[in-house]
Amino acid sequence: MPERPLPTAEEVRSYIRDRRNWGRWGKDDQVGAINLITPAKRVAAARLVRTGRSVSLSRPFPKEPGPNNSLPAHHYMKTLSRGNGGFAADYYGIFYHGVASTHIDALCHTWDEEAMWNGRDPKKEITFEGATFGSVEHWAEGIITRGVMLDVPRHRGVPSVTQDAPVHGWELDDILTKRGIKLEPGDAVCVYSGRDAWQSANPDTAYGKPYGGLAQSRPGLHVSCLPFLRDHDVSLLAWDMLDHLPIGYDIPWAVHACLFAYGVALLDNALLEPLARACVDEGRDEFMLMIAPLVVMGGTGSPANPLALF
Amino acid sequence: MPERPLPTAEEVRSYIRDRRNWGRWGKDDQVGAINLITPAKRVAAARLVRTGRSVSLSRPFPKEPGPNNSLPAHHYMKTLSRGNGGFAADYYGIFYHGVASTHIDALCHTWDEEAMWNGRDPKKEITFEGATFGSVEHWAEGIITRGVMLDVPRHRGVPSVTQDAPVHGWELDDILTKRGIKLEPGDAVCVYSGRDAWQSANPDTAYGKPYGGLAQSRPGLHVSCLPFLRDHDVSLLAWDMLDHLPIGYDIPWAVHACLFAYGVALLDNALLEPLARACVDEGRDEFMLMIAPLVVMGGTGSPANPLALF
Amino acid sequence: MPERPLPTAEEVRSYIRDRRNWGRWGKDDQVGAINLITPAKRVAAARLVRTGRSVSLSRPFPKEPGPNNSLPAHHYMKTLSRGNGGFAADYYGIFYHGVASTHIDALCHTWDEEAMWNGRDPKKEITFEGATFGSVEHWAEGIITRGVMLDVPRHRGVPSVTQDAPVHGWELDDILTKRGIKLEPGDAVCVYSGRDAWQSANPDTAYGKPYGGLAQSRPGLHVSCLPFLRDHDVSLLAWDMLDHLPIGYDIPWAVHACLFAYGVALLDNALLEPLARACVDEGRDEFMLMIAPLVVMGGTGSPANPLALF
Amino acid sequence: MPERPLPTAEEVRSYIRDRRNWGRWGKDDQVGAINLITPAKRVAAARLVRTGRSVSLSRPFPKEPGPNNSLPAHHYMKTLSRGNGGFAADYYGIFYHGVASTHIDALCHTWDEEAMWNGRDPKKEITFEGATFGSVEHWAEGIITRGVMLDVPRHRGVPSVTQDAPVHGWELDDILTKRGIKLEPGDAVCVYSGRDAWQSANPDTAYGKPYGGLAQSRPGLHVSCLPFLRDHDVSLLAWDMLDHLPIGYDIPWAVHACLFAYGVALLDNALLEPLARACVDEGRDEFMLMIAPLVVMGGTGSPANPLALF
C-alpha cells in the first residue's frame, strides 16, 4: 500500500506551520473548524436521516482497571430513603483523556513548542481552574453535522489496521474515491481502523496508556493524515485508533496537531465497529452525527456519547 | 387559575397504581416509555429541522459551592510535557442528582414502598456496583425525538412559576389548546417554569438541595401533571423547576413517580430559558431534541448536554 | 483585656519580614521549625506520659454538607464477595484545607507577595503535580513533641473567644505566666478558643468557608500572636479557631504567615474541647503530642488525627 | 524449615471458629483486641523511648499507576490568590484497601460465610453510608502500644520471604525464642517479610491487586499465623507481605480472618524495611508504636502513617 514516499521532515513541519488556520476565524476565535458547521450544514445533516436507525459511538464508561485503563473511572452508589420510598444516586468521576474513554478533545488540549490554538501561550492559558482559551464550553451548542465513514479494514480487506501498516492520508483519499464520497467543508470524518479486532488479536498488548508518551508503539493514523484533514476542511475527526506511534518525526504530536494547528476537533476512542457495520447494513457512508460535550467551563474536553442517525 | 378541584388522595394513588405501565413493553423491559421513540419517530423529529439553529439545554457543570450546590462538582487540572510540546488534561467528578446539574434520571432512580419500574425490588436491584435493572445504559442509543415547549410563564404572563401557584396537569393541557399543539406518543415535553427568573427574584432562597427530603418548599409541578404525562404517552419530561414541594399528599414522589410508574424519563434542571426564547424567535413550539446520556453500566442517570435543533 | 496598644502596621510588617527564619536551618531546608524537635525532645515528650490517657484532637471526617462545609469530603462504599465470604472497602476523598477538616498545613501552603518559605517562588514551586518545595512528606517521620494547652476561655472565664475580643499574643504570654508554664524550643502549643461553644451560641453563622477570602469576619487569633510563636520557638500551633478576620492590616495572612515566615507548622480545625477538659481532669497543661501526616509527595498538608497522650 | 506438618482443614476451621473472641469484650463491642491496649499499656510503651529516633512505616501515597496500583490515588492541586499573596491547596482521594497503600483495616472490613466481628451480619451492617458496626472511628483515640519486630529475612538469612516458603506461625514463635522476646497482651507485632527486596527480585510480577481474589499467587503469611496472634493476645499485626496465596484451604480469608474472628487489627502494606534496619541499628526489637487512623464515621479502615519511636 505505502508505495507513495513518506513526507520529509520539512513537509511535516509545513503541515503544522504553513497550513495552520490561526486567525482564519479571527485571532480570538475559540471555536476553530467547528465554525464550518453552519446552520445550513446542520439542516443538511438532518436531511440525511431516512431510516431512523440510531447508533452510539461510545464505549462503556471505563470503570474496570486494566492494561488499557490505568486510571479507572469512578462509579460510586448511594441509596437514600424518602418517605416510604427511596432513591438511588451515584457519583461519576473520570480523568477522561487517554485511551479508555470515548471523549472529545477541546482545542486547548495539546500544543507544541510554539503555541496552542490561534497562537496562544499554554503557560498563560492553562490554569489550576481550567483553560482560559479554547476550552470545551465553546462547543456548548453541540457538534451536529454530516458524518462520513472511512472504513479502512473494509478498504484493505483485513480485520484491522496493524502496527506495520499505518493509515496514511492518501489512503483516506483513496477510500473517498473508491466509495464515491465527496467531502464537504464542516464534515466530520469517522476513520474506522478496527481497534477492537486488533485488540482481540493482540490480547496481551495494551493499545496505550495515559502518560505513555512518545516512546510507545501502537497502530493508527500517520501524520500524513494532517493535510487530508486540512484539504477537506474537516471539522472533526472521530477515530478508534489514534496517532500511529512512534511518530517517526521529531514532533510532539502527529494527527493530534490538528487541534492546535487547524482547530479541528478530535473524538478519541470512538466505538466505530457498530457504526461501520451499520453503514454496510444501510448501504450508506454518511449519516447525521451529533456530539454533545458537557458544558464544563475551562474544560479540556468531555466524555461523550456521540450518536449517528441514519 | 386553579379553579379546578385538586385531585383526592385516592385519585393521586390511582395515577401511580392503576395507570402504571408495568408490563406494557414486557415484564423485563428496562427502556420504558423511550420505547415509544421508534425509528419512524426519529425520522419525523429530523424532518422538523428547518433553520439549523442549535440550542443547549444544559447549565454549566456546577463547580462552584453555593446554596443550590452543596455537593459541588470536581474539576481538577493537570498539564504534562510531551517532547517539546505538552498537553492539558482534567478530571471531572460529579454527584449529579440534586438541583444543580442538568442530568437525566434513569428508570431505576426512584421507587415507592411498592417497587421500582416494572415491579422490581430496589433491595435486590440497587447494588454497590450500580443498578442491575433500569439503569442508564439501556438508553445508550440516545433519546432523539420531537421536543415540544410548554412555556408556563408565557402562558400566565408572569416571569416565573411561584410557590403559591404550582403547575397543574390541566394547565399544561390548556397550553396545548391555546398554542394549538397536538402531542403525539413518544414526544418529549419541555415544561419551562422560569426557574432562573424565580431565583433572581428570590436570591436568598435556595431552590433545593440534595437530600433535602420532603420537608422542603419549592415551586414547581404539581402531582396532577402525572396523568398529563400518561394520557399523552410522553417519553421524557425536561423541566427547569422540579416537583412542587410540599407535595400535599402522603407519597414519597410526585411527578418523579413517572420514572417507576410510567417508565417516563426525566431531564432535571434543564436550562430552558434560552430554549423558550428560541421558540418565540423561531415562531415554533417544536424542534428536534437530542439527549445522549453517558454509557455508564449500572448508572442511575447521567449528566447531559441536551440539544434542541430548529 | 486589650489595654495594650495594638501593633502598628510597621510592627506587623516587622514580625513577618525582620524576624523570619529563612536560612536558619539552611537555605534549602524544607522542615522549618519542626527541626527544633530533636530526638532528645521526643524522648522528653515520652517522659511526660503518666496515666496513659489518650485524647484525639480530630473532628470527624467532614462528610456532611453544611454552612461550614461547602466542599464535603467523599466517603463511598463497595462490598465484594470473596469465596463464601466477602469484604467492604471504601473511597475517601477530601479537599482538606478550609474550616471543616482537622488537618496540618505544610510550609508550602501559604505565601505573601514576597515569597514562600525560605524565599522560594510559588510560581516555580507549585505545580500541577504538587509542591516541589516545603511539601508535607518532609515531615514523614511525624511530629512528636511536648504539647502545651493554652486554654483561652478558661483564662477569661467565658465559654469562648468572640468576634469582639481576639486572642492577642500578650494574652497567651499571660496564660503562660498565670499557669506557671515555661515554653521550650520545639514545643507545640494548642490554643483552645472554644470554637464549638461559639458555634452553638451562633448557630446561624458559618465560622468560615474555603475561598472565603479576606472579607469575612470570624473570631480567632490576632496577628500579634506571630511574635509569640517566634519568641518561644514554637514548632507547631494547633488551634480550633483560626486567624481573626478581618485581619485589620493590609497583609494577606495573619497568623498563617508563620508558615512562610517562621517555618512553623499549623494544625487547623483541631478539636480542642476534649483536650482542654482532659487537661483540667489530669491537672496538667502538658502532654505528649503525636501528629502523623500522610506521606503525600508534593502535598500541601494532610488530614490528620492528632493524639495527645497524658 | 517447614518440617512441622501443616494444619488440617479441621484445625484451620478451629482457629477461626473455636478460638474466636466474640463476646470477650461484650457482645456489642466494636473495639476488639485494641481493648487489650490499656492506659497502663500505653504508659509502658512510652517508657520504651530512649534515643528518640522516629521511623515512619508508611509507603508514599500511591499516586502512580502500575501493576501493584490499579486504582491510583488522586492528588489534584489548586492555587488561589489572597490579597497580594496566595495559597496552594489540594485534593486527596484514595480507595485505600488493596496492596498499594499503607492502611489500617477496621474490624468490619472482612467476613466469612458465618458473620462479621462479634457475630454481626454484613448484610445489615454494611450500608451505602458506611459500616454501622466495627468501623474505624471506634479507634479514634489511636493505637499506641508496644511494637515488636519479627524480622523473617534476618531469621532466615535471606533477602525476603518467597512464594515457596510461607511464614508459618511456628516460625514466628521460633523468632521470639531466638531473639529472646516475650510477647505480652496488647502488643503489636510487625512481621517483616522483605517485600521490597522480593519486588526488586521479581520486577515483572505484581505482588497483588485489588479484587484479585483467591486465585492469585503471592508470598506471605500462612494461615497458621492465626493461632500465633490468638495465643499471644496480639492487638495488631503490621505486615509488608500479606496472606500467602493460594491459601491452600477452602476459606475466604487466611490471616485476614483475625479481623472478624479475633478482633485483631491489621496494618496492611506497612513499609517495614527501614524499621527492620532501625531495630538492627538500635540493637532492639521493641519500640513505641503509634497509629492514628482518620476519624471517618462508618469507615472500613484508614490510610495511615504509623510511627515507631525508639
Side-chain angles (χ1 to χ4, degrees):
Chain A
M1 207 171 342
E3 311 152 22
R4 274 171 271 202
L6 290 174
T8 64
E10 202 172 340
E11 284 169 323
V12 167
R13 185 186 157 78
S14 175
Y15 299 161
I16 296 170
R17 291 282 193 271
D18 301 336
R19 305 210 56 201
R20 64 192 176 197
N21 279 324
W22 295 3
R24 178 168 170 188
W25 299 284
K27 72 181 178 50
D28 295 327
D29 172 75
Q30 305 186 51
V31 175
I34 301 301
N35 280 298
L36 298 168
I37 306 174
T38 59
K41 182 83 189 167
R42 289 191 205 107
V43 173
R47 289 289 167 276
L48 298 173
V49 177
R50 274 180 252 151
T51 63
R53 177 176 185 165
S54 177
V55 178
S56 167
L57 280 60
S58 176
R59 299 175 183 281
F61 197 66
K63 304 194 273 184
E64 299 305 318
N68 280 313
N69 194 16
S70 56
L71 299 167
H74 311 123
H75 181 204
Y76 291 115
M77 293 287 291
K78 295 271 182 192
T79 59
L80 290 116
S81 63
R82 185 169 164 114
N84 52 7
F87 66 104
D90 37 15
Y91 177 87
Y92 297 162
I94 187 165
F95 190 81
Y96 56 90
H97 289 289
V99 301
S101 162
T102 302
H103 67 271
I104 193 164
D105 289 344
L107 297 185
C108 62
H109 175 49
T110 57
W111 54 84
D112 69 3
E113 69 275 23
E114 198 159 316
M116 288 169 61
W117 167 240
N118 242 343
R120 296 293 178 118
D121 179 359
K123 287 211 163 42
K124 288 187 189 152
E125 307 293 356
I126 308 297
T127 78
F128 287 95
E129 295 303 308
T132 54
F133 192 80
S135 45
V136 76
E137 75 271 19
H138 296 283
W139 296 336
E141 285 75 25
I143 296 171
I144 304 175
T145 191
R146 182 170 81 136
V148 173
M149 166 57 63
L150 300 180
D151 183 334
V152 181
R154 189 185 189 189
H155 179 70
R156 293 187 183 181
V158 298
S160 82
V161 170
T162 49
Q163 182 71 36
D164 58 325
V167 180
H168 294 97
W170 47 85
E171 186 177 14
L172 298 181
D173 273 314
D174 289 348
I175 295 175
L176 291 181
T177 305
K178 186 164 157 195
R179 300 286 312 162
I181 304 165
K182 193 176 167 315
L183 284 188
E184 291 155 18
D187 282 346
V189 295
C190 300
V191 177
Y192 173 54
S193 297
R195 176 163 156 193
D196 297 86
W198 176 87
Q199 191 68 71
S200 296
N202 296 274
D204 298 328
T205 308
Y207 182 69
K209 52 187 167 179
Y211 313 152
L214 294 166
Q216 308 176 65
S217 288
R218 71 177 182 208
L221 274 62
H222 187 260
V223 68
S224 59
C225 294
L226 276 180
F228 174 88
L229 298 175
R230 183 69 178 81
D231 292 342
H232 294 286
D233 262 344
V234 165
S235 60
L236 175 140
L237 167 63
W239 47 350
D240 57 347
M241 286 187 177
L242 310 177
D243 317 72
H244 179 88
L245 292 178
I247 294 178
Y249 299 86
D250 183 25
I251 51 174
W253 298 104
V255 182
H256 263 78
C258 71
L259 290 166
F260 58 85
Y262 305 157
V264 168
L266 290 174
L267 184 80
D268 293 345
N269 311 308
L271 181 71
L272 295 182
E273 193 276 332
L275 180 64
R277 202 157 12 96
C279 284
V280 173
D281 287 356
E282 302 274 333
R284 299 171 55 177
D285 298 305
E286 61 176 6
F287 39 84
M288 184 186 190
L289 180 69
M290 292 157 284
I291 307 171
L294 297 177
V295 185
V296 181
M297 311 307 283
T300 72
S302 175
N305 177 9
L307 301 174
L309 187 56
F310 286 86
Chain B
M1 206 172 345
E3 311 153 22
R4 273 171 272 203
L6 290 174
T8 64
E10 201 171 341
E11 285 169 323
V12 167
R13 186 188 156 78
S14 176
Y15 300 160
I16 296 170
R17 291 283 193 272
D18 301 336
R19 306 209 56 201
R20 65 192 175 196
N21 278 324
W22 295 3
R24 177 169 171 187
W25 299 284
K27 73 180 177 52
D28 294 327
D29 171 75
Q30 304 187 51
V31 176
I34 301 301
N35 281 297
L36 297 168
I37 306 174
T38 59
K41 182 82 189 167
R42 288 191 205 107
V43 173
R47 289 288 168 276
L48 297 174
V49 177
R50 274 181 253 152
T51 63
R53 177 176 185 164
S54 177
V55 179
S56 167
L57 281 60
S58 176
R59 298 174 184 281
F61 197 67
K63 304 195 273 183
E64 299 305 318
N68 280 313
N69 194 16
S70 56
L71 300 168
H74 311 123
H75 181 203
Y76 290 115
M77 293 286 293
K78 295 272 181 192
T79 58
L80 291 116
S81 63
R82 185 170 164 115
N84 52 7
F87 66 104
D90 39 14
Y91 176 87
Y92 298 162
I94 186 164
F95 190 80
Y96 56 90
H97 289 289
V99 301
S101 161
T102 302
H103 68 270
I104 193 163
D105 289 344
L107 296 185
C108 63
H109 175 50
T110 57
W111 54 83
D112 70 3
E113 71 275 23
E114 198 159 316
M116 289 168 60
W117 166 241
N118 242 344
R120 296 293 178 117
D121 179 359
K123 287 210 163 44
K124 287 186 188 150
E125 307 293 356
I126 307 297
T127 77
F128 287 95
E129 295 302 309
T132 55
F133 193 81
S135 45
V136 77
E137 77 270 19
H138 296 283
W139 296 335
E141 285 77 23
I143 296 171
I144 303 174
T145 190
R146 182 171 81 136
V148 172
M149 167 56 64
L150 301 180
D151 184 334
V152 180
R154 189 185 189 188
H155 179 69
R156 293 187 183 181
V158 298
S160 82
V161 170
T162 48
Q163 182 71 36
D164 58 325
V167 180
H168 294 98
W170 48 85
E171 186 177 11
L172 298 180
D173 274 314
D174 289 348
I175 294 175
L176 291 181
T177 305
K178 186 164 157 194
R179 301 286 312 162
I181 304 165
K182 193 176 166 316
L183 285 186
E184 291 156 17
D187 282 346
V189 295
C190 300
V191 177
Y192 173 54
S193 298
R195 177 162 156 193
D196 298 270
W198 176 87
Q199 190 68 70
S200 296
N202 297 274
D204 298 328
T205 307
Y207 183 69
K209 52 187 168 180
Y211 313 152
L214 293 166
Q216 308 176 64
S217 288
R218 70 177 181 208
L221 274 61
H222 187 259
V223 67
S224 59
C225 295
L226 276 180
F228 174 87
L229 298 175
R230 183 69 178 81
D231 291 342
H232 294 285
D233 262 344
V234 165
S235 60
L236 175 140
L237 168 63
W239 47 351
D240 57 347
M241 285 188 177
L242 310 177
D243 317 72
H244 178 88
L245 292 179
I247 294 178
Y249 299 86
D250 184 24
I251 50 174
W253 299 103
V255 182
H256 263 78
C258 71
L259 291 166
F260 58 85
Y262 304 158
V264 167
L266 289 174
L267 184 80
D268 294 345
N269 310 308
L271 181 71
L272 294 182
E273 192 277 331
L275 181 63
R277 201 155 13 96
C279 283
V280 172
D281 287 357
E282 302 274 334
R284 298 172 55 178
D285 298 305
E286 61 177 6
F287 39 84
M288 184 184 191
L289 181 69
M290 292 158 284
I291 307 170
L294 297 177
V295 184
V296 182
M297 310 307 284
T300 72
S302 176
N305 177 10
L307 301 174
L309 187 56
F310 285 85
Chain C
M1 205 172 346
E3 310 152 23
R4 275 171 272 203
L6 291 173
T8 64
E10 201 171 341
E11 284 169 325
V12 167
R13 185 187 157 79
S14 176
Y15 298 161
I16 296 171
R17 290 281 191 273
D18 301 337
R19 306 209 55 200
R20 65 192 176 196
N21 278 324
W22 296 3
R24 178 170 170 186
W25 299 285
K27 73 180 176 51
D28 295 327
D29 172 75
Q30 305 186 50
V31 175
I34 301 301
N35 280 298
L36 298 167
I37 307 174
T38 60
K41 182 81 188 166
R42 289 191 205 107
V43 173
R47 288 289 167 276
L48 298 173
V49 177
R50 275 180 251 151
T51 63
R53 177 177 184 164
S54 178
V55 178
S56 167
L57 281 59
S58 176
R59 298 174 184 281
F61 197 66
K63 303 195 274 182
E64 299 306 318
N68 280 312
N69 193 18
S70 56
L71 300 168
H74 311 124
H75 180 203
Y76 291 115
M77 294 286 292
K78 295 271 181 192
T79 59
L80 290 116
S81 63
R82 186 170 163 115
N84 52 7
F87 66 102
D90 39 15
Y91 176 88
Y92 297 162
I94 187 164
F95 190 81
Y96 56 90
H97 290 289
V99 301
S101 162
T102 302
H103 68 270
I104 193 163
D105 288 344
L107 296 186
C108 62
H109 174 49
T110 57
W111 54 84
D112 69 2
E113 70 276 23
E114 197 158 317
M116 288 168 61
W117 167 240
N118 243 342
R120 296 293 179 119
D121 179 358
K123 287 211 162 43
K124 287 186 189 150
E125 307 293 356
I126 308 297
T127 78
F128 287 95
E129 296 302 308
T132 54
F133 193 79
S135 45
V136 76
E137 77 270 20
H138 297 282
W139 296 335
E141 285 76 25
I143 296 171
I144 304 174
T145 190
R146 182 171 81 136
V148 173
M149 167 56 64
L150 301 180
D151 183 335
V152 181
R154 188 185 190 188
H155 178 70
R156 294 188 182 180
V158 297
S160 81
V161 171
T162 48
Q163 181 70 36
D164 59 325
V167 180
H168 294 98
W170 47 85
E171 185 177 12
L172 298 180
D173 273 313
D174 289 348
I175 295 174
L176 292 181
T177 304
K178 187 164 157 194
R179 301 286 312 163
I181 304 165
K182 194 178 165 315
L183 284 187
E184 291 155 18
D187 282 347
V189 294
C190 300
V191 177
Y192 173 54
S193 298
R195 176 163 156 192
D196 298 86
W198 176 87
Q199 190 67 72
S200 297
N202 297 273
D204 299 327
T205 308
Y207 182 69
K209 52 186 169 181
Y211 313 151
L214 294 165
Q216 307 176 65
S217 288
R218 71 178 182 207
L221 274 62
H222 187 259
V223 67
S224 59
C225 295
L226 275 180
F228 174 88
L229 299 175
R230 182 70 178 80
D231 291 343
H232 293 287
D233 261 345
V234 165
S235 60
L236 175 140
L237 167 63
W239 46 352
D240 56 347
M241 285 186 179
L242 310 177
D243 317 72
H244 178 88
L245 292 178
I247 294 177
Y249 299 85
D250 183 25
I251 50 174
W253 299 102
V255 182
H256 263 79
C258 70
L259 290 165
F260 58 84
Y262 303 158
V264 168
L266 289 175
L267 184 80
D268 294 344
N269 309 309
L271 181 71
L272 294 182
E273 192 277 332
L275 180 65
R277 202 157 11 96
C279 283
V280 173
D281 286 357
E282 302 274 334
R284 299 171 55 177
D285 298 306
E286 61 176 6
F287 40 84
M288 184 185 190
L289 180 69
M290 292 157 285
I291 307 171
L294 297 177
V295 184
V296 182
M297 311 306 284
T300 71
S302 176
N305 177 9
L307 301 174
L309 188 56
F310 285 86
Chain D
M1 203 173 346
E3 311 153 19
R4 274 172 274 201
L6 291 174
T8 64
E10 202 172 341
E11 285 170 323
V12 168
R13 185 186 156 80
S14 175
Y15 299 161
I16 296 170
R17 291 284 192 271
D18 300 338
R19 306 208 57 202
R20 64 192 176 196
N21 278 325
W22 296 2
R24 179 170 170 188
W25 300 283
K27 74 179 177 51
D28 294 328
D29 171 75
Q30 304 187 51
V31 175
I34 300 302
N35 281 297
L36 297 167
I37 306 174
T38 59
K41 182 82 189 167
R42 290 191 205 107
V43 173
R47 287 290 167 275
L48 298 173
V49 177
R50 274 180 251 151
T51 63
R53 176 177 185 164
S54 178
V55 178
S56 167
L57 281 60
S58 176
R59 298 175 184 279
F61 197 66
K63 304 195 273 184
E64 299 305 319
N68 280 312
N69 194 16
S70 56
L71 300 167
H74 311 124
H75 181 203
Y76 290 115
M77 294 286 291
K78 296 270 182 193
T79 59
L80 290 115
S81 63
R82 185 169 163 115
N84 51 7
F87 66 104
D90 39 14
Y91 177 88
Y92 297 163
I94 187 165
F95 190 82
Y96 56 90
H97 290 290
V99 301
S101 162
T102 302
H103 67 271
I104 193 164
D105 289 343
L107 296 185
C108 62
H109 175 51
T110 57
W111 54 84
D112 69 3
E113 70 276 24
E114 197 159 317
M116 287 167 62
W117 167 241
N118 243 344
R120 295 293 178 118
D121 179 0
K123 287 211 163 44
K124 287 186 190 151
E125 306 293 356
I126 307 298
T127 78
F128 287 94
E129 295 303 308
T132 54
F133 193 81
S135 44
V136 76
E137 77 271 20
H138 296 282
W139 296 335
E141 284 77 25
I143 297 171
I144 303 173
T145 190
R146 182 171 81 135
V148 173
M149 167 55 64
L150 301 180
D151 183 335
V152 180
R154 188 185 191 189
H155 178 69
R156 293 186 182 181
V158 297
S160 81
V161 170
T162 48
Q163 182 71 36
D164 59 324
V167 180
H168 294 96
W170 46 85
E171 184 177 14
L172 299 180
D173 273 314
D174 289 349
I175 295 174
L176 292 180
T177 305
K178 186 166 159 194
R179 301 285 313 162
I181 304 164
K182 193 178 166 315
L183 285 188
E184 292 155 16
D187 282 347
V189 294
C190 301
V191 177
Y192 173 54
S193 298
R195 176 162 156 192
D196 297 271
W198 176 87
Q199 190 68 71
S200 296
N202 297 273
D204 298 328
T205 308
Y207 182 69
K209 53 187 167 180
Y211 313 153
L214 294 165
Q216 306 176 67
S217 287
R218 70 177 182 207
L221 274 63
H222 187 259
V223 67
S224 60
C225 295
L226 276 181
F228 173 88
L229 299 175
R230 183 68 178 81
D231 291 343
H232 293 285
D233 262 344
V234 165
S235 60
L236 175 140
L237 167 64
W239 46 353
D240 57 346
M241 286 187 177
L242 310 177
D243 317 74
H244 178 88
L245 291 179
I247 295 178
Y249 299 85
D250 183 24
I251 50 174
W253 299 104
V255 182
H256 262 80
C258 71
L259 291 166
F260 58 86
Y262 305 158
V264 168
L266 289 175
L267 184 80
D268 293 346
N269 310 309
L271 181 71
L272 294 182
E273 192 277 331
L275 181 64
R277 201 155 14 96
C279 284
V280 173
D281 286 357
E282 302 274 333
R284 299 171 55 177
D285 298 305
E286 61 177 5
F287 40 84
M288 184 185 191
L289 181 69
M290 292 157 285
I291 307 170
L294 297 177
V295 185
V296 182
M297 311 306 284
T300 72
S302 176
N305 178 9
L307 301 173
L309 188 56
F310 285 86

